[in-house]
Amino acid sequence: MDRSLPKEAAAEGGRFSGPAPEAVQAGLLAWYDRHRRRLPWRALPGETPDPYAVWLSEIMLQQTTVAAVKPYFEAFLARWPRVADLADAPLEEVLTAWAGLGYYARARNLHACAKAVTQRHGGRFPDSETELRDLPGIGPYTAAAIAAIAFDRPATPLDGNIERVTARLFAVTEPLPGVKPKLQALAATLTPAARPGDFAQAKMDLGATVCLPRTPKCLLCPLEALCSARAAGLADQLPRKAPKAPKPTRRGVAFWLTRPDGAVLLRRRPPKGLLGGMTELPSSDWTTEGPKEGAATAPAVVPWRALPGLVRHTFTHFHLELTVWVGRVQDWQDIDGFWVPLDGLGAAGLPSVMQKIAKHAIKAGG
DNA sequence: AAACCGTGGGG
DNA sequence: TCCCCAAGGTT
């Protein structure tokens, strides 16, 4: 299993046909000292990072933009200032606070990780990649990122930004995801012994602001003279990626059921899977065939009225089209779920798709 | 190992 | 409108 170095490197006795690491390190760190972004979770120069804040930000930032994360990060840190506070919180409260950020398994794992750090490590995050990797929700990227950023360990995180920067620096033309181990090995040859955390963040900042996916700003890049893809005129074509599978459309019915006092029926979803553990409006199954007997899955036997229009939403691997049915009940004692007044929906922690359903129903006068 | 798992912004 | 993408992990 030779995935430590590319073949051509071994053939050259360990030398890479890429830029000199010392030049990349010096150029990128100098650029970072001038252009570093001020982010809520980022320690200022000379400050000691808080591993809890670093971990929290890294989990939130998985597949999620900086702009989306900012308000959630602030809210979580204000509400649960230390990892033990988060560990003591009920999971439902964590899920409610996470609502709208997506990938809800992250919130479940966040809570489990807080408990593990509190119980297994006495409330302090471990500083080695291996121990970090053993915690829920922490994979290869996040373990390396925390080790480097929070503990200044010479680790080599490889996220989407660093994949792109590395593929271009070395002009790697094979497609992702197959080429990822090679990119990891190439990236590791660049990691400096001094300031590895800053170096990792510098690569991510460069990828986010200069070495962009579509139209890289090579004229502004501190590594332009060192970049093999730039020299070959390939920068805007790398990294190559395998084609993605098309998304099917699933259809279903969502039920907006209200009581005489105006409260609406909500439920909690099963603990795992899509939107696992989150609050929902009751609905039929979502299938590519569409609902045959919508009434059969309704939460109550009442006269249902289908609202005009559709609620559309796109998940990671399918499109969703929902019809909304509205109904009213007089007797609700045998109905499974819980009732929330309309002015309490905002605090109920609904995922975005459920917010869309509620908005559609309220606008239509449900 | 390939499938599953959210959301919002930008081109 | 549609596709791409974002500090990926789990099963």
Side-chain angles (χ1 to χ4, degrees), chain A residues 53-111:
Chain A
V54 172
W55 162 73
L56 179 61
S57 72
E58 288 299 340
I59 301 301
M60 288 185 167
L61 286 163
Q62 288 168 2
Q63 298 290 286
T64 308
T65 58
V66 165
V69 163
K70 273 180 179 171
Y72 287 86
F73 175 82
E74 307 279 15
F76 268 67
L77 207 57
R79 183 167 176 180
W80 298 295
R82 300 163 304 147
V83 67
D85 303 321
L86 187 56
D88 288 341
L91 174 60
E92 289 71 23
E93 289 186 16
V94 177
L95 291 174
T96 297
W98 195 276
L101 198 55
Y103 284 137
Y104 298 98
R106 291 185 297 171
R108 304 195 298 269
N109 288 329
L110 186 84
H111 189 245

Side-chain angles (χ1 to χ4, degrees), chain A residues 235-266:
Chain A
D236 62 352
Q237 300 176 36
L238 301 181
R240 298 203 166 98
K241 298 191 176 182
K244 296 179 179 176
K247 292 180 181 178
T249 297
R250 299 183 189 174
R251 297 176 176 83
V253 176
F255 302 101
W256 181 261
L257 188 64
T258 54
R259 291 191 313 201
D261 65 0
V264 61
L265 178 67
L266 300 180

Side-chain angles (χ1 to χ4, degrees), chain A residues 262-298:
Chain A
V264 61
L265 178 67
L266 300 180
R267 289 178 175 167
R268 188 162 298 281
R269 292 176 63 86
K272 293 183 179 178
L274 185 70
L275 307 175
M278 300 301 291
T279 303
E280 68 168 354
L281 277 315
S283 77
S284 70
D285 287 340
W286 304 341
T287 63
T288 52
E289 297 78 19
K292 296 181 183 297
E293 293 289 341
T297 56

Side-chain angles (χ1 to χ4, degrees), chain A residues 77-165:
Chain A
L77 207 57
R79 183 167 176 180
W80 298 295
R82 300 163 304 147
V83 67
D85 303 321
L86 187 56
D88 288 341
L91 174 60
E92 289 71 23
E93 289 186 16
V94 177
L95 291 174
T96 297
W98 195 276
L101 198 55
Y103 284 137
Y104 298 98
R106 291 185 297 171
R108 304 195 298 269
N109 288 329
L110 186 84
H111 189 245
C113 184
K115 285 186 175 297
V117 169
T118 302
Q119 295 165 7
R120 191 190 308 171
H121 296 285
R124 291 184 176 279
F125 278 84
D127 63 358
S128 74
E129 282 187 77
T130 315
E131 289 174 288
L132 287 163
R133 182 66 185 76
D134 283 336
L135 292 165
I138 298 183
Y141 162 76
T142 305
I146 295 173
I149 297 170
F151 299 109
D152 218 33
R153 291 282 194 109
T156 307
L158 187 71
D159 74 329
N161 286 309
I162 299 177
E163 282 177 356
R164 187 168 60 253
V165 169

Side-chain angles (χ1 to χ4, degrees), chain A residues 21-36 152 190-203 222-223:
Chain A
E22 298 77 11
V24 174
Q25 293 158 6
L28 201 47
L29 285 169
W31 175 85
Y32 186 65
D33 288 336
R34 282 180 283 119
H35 296 279
R36 105 170 45 202
D152 218 33
L190 299 178
T191 299
R195 303 180 65 189
D198 282 350
F199 185 71
Q201 294 178 90
K203 285 190 288 187
L223 305 181

